[in-house]
Amino acid sequence: MSRPGSSPPGNWAIGRLLWSRLIWRHWKKEFRLTLVLILILALGVAVFLSVRLANKAAVSGFGMFTESIAGESDAILRPRSGILEEGVLRELRDLTGSHPIGIFPVLEATGVVGSDEKQGLLRLVGADLVALQNAGNYAEGGAQSFGGGARGGENSVLGKPDRGFVGTSFAKRFGVEVDDVLAIIVNDRSVDLTIAGVLPEDPNRAAVPDNLVLLDLPGLQTLSGHPQSVTRVEFRVPPGPKSEEVKNEALARVWDYAAANQFLLETPEDRKSSVTQMSAAFRLNLTILSGLALLVGMYLILQAMEASVVKRRSEIAILRSLGVTPGQIRSAWLLEAIILGLVGAVVGILLGRLLAIGMVGAIAQTVNTIYYQTTTTAVVLERSEILFCLFFGLAASVVAAMIPAREASMTPPAQTMRQGTQGGGLALLRNRPLGWFLLAVGLGLAFLQPVTMSSGTTVPIGGYLSAMVLVFSASILIGSLFRPMAALLARLKGNVMWSYAASQLKRPEGRHRLTAAGLAVAIGMSAAMGILVASFETTLTSWIHQLLKADIYIAAAGANSVANENTVSEETWQRIAEMPGVAGMDKLRRYTISSRGGDFFLGGADYNDDPERYLQLIWVDPPKDKGPHALEEMTGDRYPGWISQSMARRFDIELGSPIALPTPAGIQPITVAGVFAEYGNETGTLIVSRQHTSRWFSDTSISNIALYAENGTDHEQLIERIHSEFPFLNARTNAKLRKESIRIFHQTFAVTYALEAIAVIIAVSGLGLALAGLLLERRNELTTLKSLGATRREIARSTMWEGSGLAMVGYVGGILLSFLLGWVLIYVINPQSFGWTLVYRVPWASFLLLGLLTVGAAAIVAWVVGFRNAELKSDRQE
């Protein structure tokens, strides 16, 4: 290090030496391992970030459309149920008096393009186009220009139900231009819509959604069958020195008016928040699941860093013998970890954004199917997300690097140079009493009550903490499986190399334990998700078979989305009921109700009279009377109603509880007569008799028909007759609807399947890295084996058996862990998040396939690693 009589080198000189000899030289020599380290960090960051970004993009498409045209509303008035009569507009104008406040009525409806439901729903918005054209006084940046179509003349759209405007993204999506005609289905009939104009993009406003059509208000009122009605009324105050004073005074009057008439007055942000809150539990659980990659990635990062340390042990020993202190070596390792962490995080951010673009469509489809209609927006990466990813990349890299680096730097040089020492991993993985203690704590945490946020979202904090603690418990206790696995290998007949592999598992090193823990965590979480999916599928299939007893199911176009508002008119469903071969039908009319601080569905049900052929629900708390007429007669002064289990959870309602139901005919008193299981949505459903809802809402249309055919009637032929007479209805047999329901179910879990696969790939990769490090430490043993006649292929086979045994330990431990995690998911997290009761099912066939894939992949990886590392310097010299 220094010449005699000279002063010792300074920290700067030592730093340069460590950088050149310990870090840079290693990166160049082992560039593949360095690249693997970066990719490991990147993958963990990317998976978490992609789910977060896709979540955000999938739900941010919901918004009040007129914000995109005339600026953001100051307030929105809407009914708690049903629609508003236009007479409300005159009352509101009288209330605001001379105040310069803009009042913009809006009507919304749904439609479907052509007959292809895979295109998704269209959002039809009817607004006063003349008022919007003059809305520049109410919003900064001016109003959207509609050309001459909003002012009258030959090409005017005013009052016309078959002419409308679309956005640029809509025109690109459906390949239409101005004056093109597009066939759309509204309710149970088709309309040829002429594109009156394409609204240009304005960088100062939000983009017009790609599923939206803007019509003149009277035109949509005619088209949707809601004359002189609106969905909501928006208020805007023009900017000026007294705008706040005007807004406060005018809206105070509107607030009193809304309270007196059981209306809702809210800001656009309030509305967006209340709607997106419906999917909050789904998005939260998806985000938590994405942490799987982070947790498993931490194990793999630690293993990769240990492999890097092992490769440089001799260099560390030389540096220690030359006077470099342990602190200086750790500082060098810290610098390397920081650089790798930053690079890995940056790559992960780029990769995560790309993954989010591919993932957002699947999440948006699930949101549309189960919660509400939205459109996917561009994936936006915000500064806070970038900072979090950088922080995680740095923290994960530094923590993972410092544990093995500390061990290597503190070990005496002579011991470091000696191969075959047991070490590595985490010391706490040997602390079996701690593992049993954590197991008890994890089980206890599962019984904690959920936390209800101010927004109303229920967070099963105890379930999440329980799952985390159980994972750490399994990481420690899995070490108990090594001796039984070694004994099993020893019992099998094999050669000397087989016994050598068994002996390595009988005395597992720290790296064995760490690798097995990483495998167990990955497999345990993946298998637990398999248990959840299997349990959900079993429960859902049973529910579908119980629920779908009719022969044919009919609905208006767009029935696959919970946001569908299309209905079947009374004239249509009566004509279907009179068709030859029809024995009877169940009818349901669904409405959205805003009450108790949230939205839920109201179903008006009308059951077939045949006591053996009507809807049969799965009961959680059964009513006294389950018959087809049970909901028709009042009990005292209250109407009987059945609620779903998810509604009971959301609003803390139980059997016998009273419900004040807001309707256009006033508040209706309801008594909960029964609680049933429902898996179609987590929003919640209240079912009452349709004869009551028809009166309360002055509405005889229906949303869905369950049709019973006469004995001997060919169901397919009956469907053909229905389609020939009503080509725009969606009619499916019982078998086809069941198949479609299962397809939607699997689509909902598509993202979780990808997360499972990534976790297992990461874990098997970690096994390869661990074996490479172990073989490097056994160079002396390998030399002895080679001198005794062992070939590279025999050593490779021995490594394969060792790796397969190690994979089996991780697999068995992971499966045992999955039983506990599955219990937490099904009996704690799922009921507290969604209010669904599931039947616990273990997918044994999937577990067997998972084991074969894991052990098979591990065997291949281990053989390759063994063959590559069995080549010694003496072999190359020969």
Side-chain angles (χ1 to χ4, degrees):
M1 288 293 289
S2 60
R3 296 176 181 175
S6 63
S7 60
N11 290 332
W12 175 251
I14 293 177
R16 288 182 59 189
L17 174 66
L18 293 174
W19 169 259
S20 62
R21 300 292 297 175
L22 194 63
I23 300 177
W24 181 247
R25 180 171 174 268
H26 174 75
W27 285 358
K28 290 192 297 182
K29 182 180 178 181
E30 300 288 347
F31 69 92
R32 291 188 182 90
L33 179 60
T34 304
L35 182 61
V36 167
L37 279 168
I38 293 173
L39 290 178
I40 290 169
L41 283 162
L43 190 58
V45 170
V47 173
F48 183 84
L49 179 64
S50 62
V51 173
R52 177 178 175 83
L53 293 180
N55 262 334
K56 186 172 63 174
V59 301
S60 61
F62 178 86
M64 317 310 294
F65 169 68
T66 44
E67 295 176 18
S68 303
I69 298 297
E72 185 170 346
S73 306
D74 292 302
I76 300 169
L77 180 76
R78 63 184 181 94
R80 294 183 180 273
S81 62
I83 53 181
L84 297 169
E85 299 297 326
E86 277 191 343
V88 170
L89 299 176
R90 291 189 293 271
E91 296 177 3
L92 291 172
R93 177 51 67 193
D94 292 339
L95 275 175
T96 55
S98 59
H99 290 96
I101 185 170
I103 299 178
F104 299 90
V106 178
L107 176 65
E108 288 201 28
T110 56
V112 176
V113 173
S115 59
D116 187 358
E117 294 189 44
K118 293 182 180 179
Q119 299 271 16
L121 286 183
L122 294 183
R123 191 171 161 203
L124 308 179
V125 174
D128 187 341
L129 297 185
V130 174
L132 285 181
Q133 186 73 6
N134 298 326
N137 295 327
Y138 299 94
E140 297 180 2
Q144 177 71 59
S145 174
F146 300 99
R151 298 190 183 93
E154 182 179 351
N155 296 322
S156 173
V157 301
L158 299 182
K160 295 183 179 179
D162 59 352
R163 293 182 64 84
F165 295 93
V166 298
T168 303
S169 56
F170 183 104
K172 291 180 180 179
R173 176 183 176 187
F174 296 105
V176 295
E177 299 177 349
V178 177
D179 294 331
D180 283 353
V181 176
L182 192 65
I184 66 172
I185 300 174
V186 180
N187 293 326
D188 52 8
R189 63 192 183 93
S190 179
V191 177
D192 290 332
L193 178 74
T194 300
I195 306 301
V198 177
L199 305 175
E201 296 290 344
D202 187 337
N204 296 319
R205 296 192 184 86
V208 179
D210 64 358
N211 67 338
L212 191 139
V213 180
L214 175 66
L215 299 91
D216 191 35
L217 177 60
L220 185 56
Q221 288 173 331
T222 302
L223 181 63
S224 63
H226 295 297
Q228 299 182 340
S229 300
V230 296
T231 306
R232 66 179 188 268
V233 179
E234 301 190 17
F235 301 90
R236 294 185 183 86
V237 177
K242 295 186 177 182
S243 60
E244 283 300 318
E245 179 182 341
V246 170
K247 181 167 62 176
N248 293 336
E249 184 175 345
L251 293 185
R253 299 182 183 182
V254 177
W255 176 268
D256 293 338
Y257 173 80
N261 290 275
Q262 292 296 318
F263 295 150
L264 288 172
L265 185 68
E266 53 195 359
T267 66
E269 289 303 317
D270 291 337
R271 180 58 182 152
K272 290 177 186 177
S273 176
S274 64
V275 172
T276 55
Q277 198 60 45
M278 294 164 63
S279 64
F282 165 76
R283 292 181 287 113
L284 175 63
N285 278 277
L286 195 58
T287 301
I288 295 296
L289 288 176
S290 68
L292 177 150
L294 295 182
L295 185 57
V296 177
M298 281 293 296
Y299 281 95
L300 186 51
I301 293 167
L302 181 55
Q303 291 168 213
M305 285 293 189
E306 281 209 317
S308 177
V309 171
V310 169
K311 284 182 175 289
R312 286 176 277 184
R313 271 194 164 185
S314 59
E315 296 177 16
I316 295 173
I318 293 172
L319 291 171
R320 286 289 313 279
S321 65
L322 293 176
V324 179
T325 65
Q328 290 170 330
I329 293 176
R330 286 197 297 271
S331 298
W333 230 273
L334 177 62
L335 175 62
E336 179 180 10
I338 290 174
I339 296 174
L340 291 175
L342 283 174
V343 175
V346 171
V347 175
I349 291 169
L350 298 176
L351 181 60
R353 192 176 187 282
L354 293 176
L355 289 175
I357 294 173
M359 193 183 296
V360 64
I363 296 178
Q365 284 183 347
T366 300
V367 172
N368 289 340
T369 300
I370 300 178
Y371 301 102
Y372 51 84
Q373 182 67 19
T374 183
T375 59
T376 57
T377 61
V379 173
V380 178
L381 187 61
E382 296 181 353
R383 180 182 301 177
S384 59
E385 291 153 345
I386 294 175
L387 292 176
F388 172 81
C389 291
L390 291 174
F391 171 77
F392 171 78
L394 282 171
S397 180
V398 169
V399 171
M402 292 311 294
I403 294 174
R406 182 181 183 277
E407 176 195 353
S409 64
M410 295 298 293
T411 305
Q415 184 179 345
T416 301
M417 294 294 291
R418 180 164 50 89
Q419 304 300 323
T421 57
Q422 291 192 357
L426 298 173
L428 62 84
L429 294 183
R430 300 176 181 273
N431 193 338
R432 194 175 303 175
L434 175 62
W436 289 111
F437 173 75
L438 291 177
L439 176 63
V441 171
L443 293 175
L445 288 171
F447 295 94
L448 291 179
Q449 292 299 311
V451 176
T452 302
M453 309 298 288
S454 58
S455 59
T457 303
T458 301
V459 180
I461 188 67
Y464 293 141
L465 291 175
S466 172
M468 185 181 301
V469 174
L470 289 175
V471 164
F472 288 121
S473 169
S475 299
I476 298 173
L477 295 178
I478 195 174
S480 304
L481 297 177
F482 278 103
R483 284 188 174 274
M485 183 57 61
L488 178 62
L489 286 176
R491 288 176 180 273
L492 299 175
K493 292 182 179 180
N495 56 21
V496 175
M497 300 305 296
W498 186 293
S499 301
Y500 175 72
S503 69
Q504 298 300 324
L505 296 179
K506 187 176 181 179
R507 300 185 304 276
E509 297 185 14
R511 290 178 188 82
H512 282 108
R513 296 174 183 274
L514 180 61
T515 303
L519 272 167
V521 171
I523 292 171
M525 288 186 162
S526 299
M529 284 305 304
I531 291 175
L532 175 63
V533 172
S535 301
F536 208 129
E537 185 170 10
T538 300
T539 305
L540 185 68
T541 302
S542 175
W543 176 67
I544 289 173
H545 281 274
Q546 175 76 8
L547 191 69
L548 304 183
K549 293 292 184 69
D551 301 310
I552 296 172
Y553 292 86
I554 304 171
N560 286 344
S561 174
V562 75
N564 177 44
E565 297 176 359
N566 286 335
T567 59
V568 180
S569 65
E570 181 179 15
E571 177 187 1
T572 298
W573 62 257
Q574 283 188 343
R575 286 169 60 187
I576 294 175
E578 295 168 359
M579 281 185 169
V582 176
M585 61 173 61
D586 297 332
K587 299 180 285 293
L588 179 72
R589 179 64 166 98
R590 193 187 68 181
Y591 305 90
T592 300
I593 306 296
S594 295
S595 182
R596 293 175 172 258
D599 291 353
F600 62 88
F601 296 122
L602 170 67
D606 186 1
Y607 295 138
N608 178 38
D609 286 337
D610 189 338
E612 296 183 1
R613 304 190 79 183
Y614 69 91
L615 183 68
Q616 298 284 347
L617 299 174
I618 297 179
W619 296 103
V620 178
D621 289 313
K624 294 180 180 179
D625 185 358
K626 306 174 187 177
H629 303 289
L631 297 175
E632 295 177 0
E633 299 296 329
M634 296 182 67
T635 303
D637 58 350
R638 291 187 173 274
Y639 298 98
W642 299 334
I643 65 170
S644 66
Q645 189 179 19
S646 54
M647 182 173 177
R649 176 196 61 85
R650 280 189 69 202
F651 300 108
D652 194 21
I653 302 174
E654 57 187 17
L655 196 67
S657 296
I659 298 177
L661 179 68
T663 72
I667 300 296
Q668 306 299 330
I670 307 292
T671 294
V672 177
V675 181
F676 60 92
E678 181 186 38
Y679 303 95
N681 67 81
E682 64 167 283
T683 305
T685 302
L686 166 65
I687 295 180
V688 299
S689 173
R690 196 179 69 86
Q691 72 177 21
H692 303 321
T693 59
S694 296
R695 185 175 68 256
W696 298 338
F697 290 83
S698 300
D699 179 19
T700 57
S701 66
I702 57 178
S703 305
N704 303 87
I705 299 172
L707 188 148
Y708 301 91
E710 294 179 349
N711 293 331
T713 300
D714 187 293
H715 298 167
E716 293 292 346
Q717 290 182 0
L718 182 54
I719 287 178
E720 288 181 7
R721 290 200 299 271
I722 294 172
H723 277 158
S724 64
E725 190 168 347
F726 308 102
F728 309 117
L729 292 181
N730 187 348
R732 289 170 288 187
T733 62
N734 188 304
K736 287 184 178 178
L737 183 57
R738 291 180 181 182
K739 183 178 179 180
E740 177 68 10
S741 300
I742 297 298
R743 184 194 67 78
I744 293 173
F745 162 79
H746 285 293
Q747 171 189 295
T748 302
F749 284 93
V751 176
T752 63
Y753 298 144
L755 294 177
E756 293 177 49
I758 289 172
V760 175
I761 291 171
I762 289 176
V764 173
S765 302
L767 182 141
L769 287 172
L771 288 175
L774 288 166
L775 290 177
L776 282 173
E777 289 198 327
R778 296 183 201 156
R779 282 197 294 264
N780 290 343
E781 293 182 12
L782 296 180
T783 301
T784 303
L785 290 172
K786 295 292 287 285
S787 65
L788 293 175
T791 65
R792 286 183 67 188
R793 292 186 179 275
E794 287 177 328
I795 293 175
R797 282 197 295 271
S798 174
T799 307
M800 180 186 70
W801 295 326
E802 181 181 351
S804 299
L806 188 55
M808 278 299 298
V809 170
Y811 171 74
V812 173
I815 293 299
L816 294 176
L817 172 63
S818 73
F819 295 148
L820 292 175
L821 293 181
W823 173 78
V824 173
L825 283 170
I826 292 171
Y827 294 115
V828 180
I829 294 177
N830 183 71
Q832 293 179 4
S833 294
F834 305 105
W836 294 335
T837 299
L838 302 181
V839 178
Y840 192 98
R841 285 291 181 272
V842 177
W844 295 109
S846 297
F847 280 12
L848 178 61
L849 178 61
L850 177 62
L852 292 175
L853 290 175
T854 302
V855 177
I860 294 172
V861 170
W863 191 94
V864 173
V865 170
F867 188 80
R868 288 176 59 87
N869 286 273
E871 182 182 15
L872 305 177
K873 290 183 179 181
S874 58
D875 300 324
R876 291 193 292 269
Q877 291 172 355
E878 292 175 2

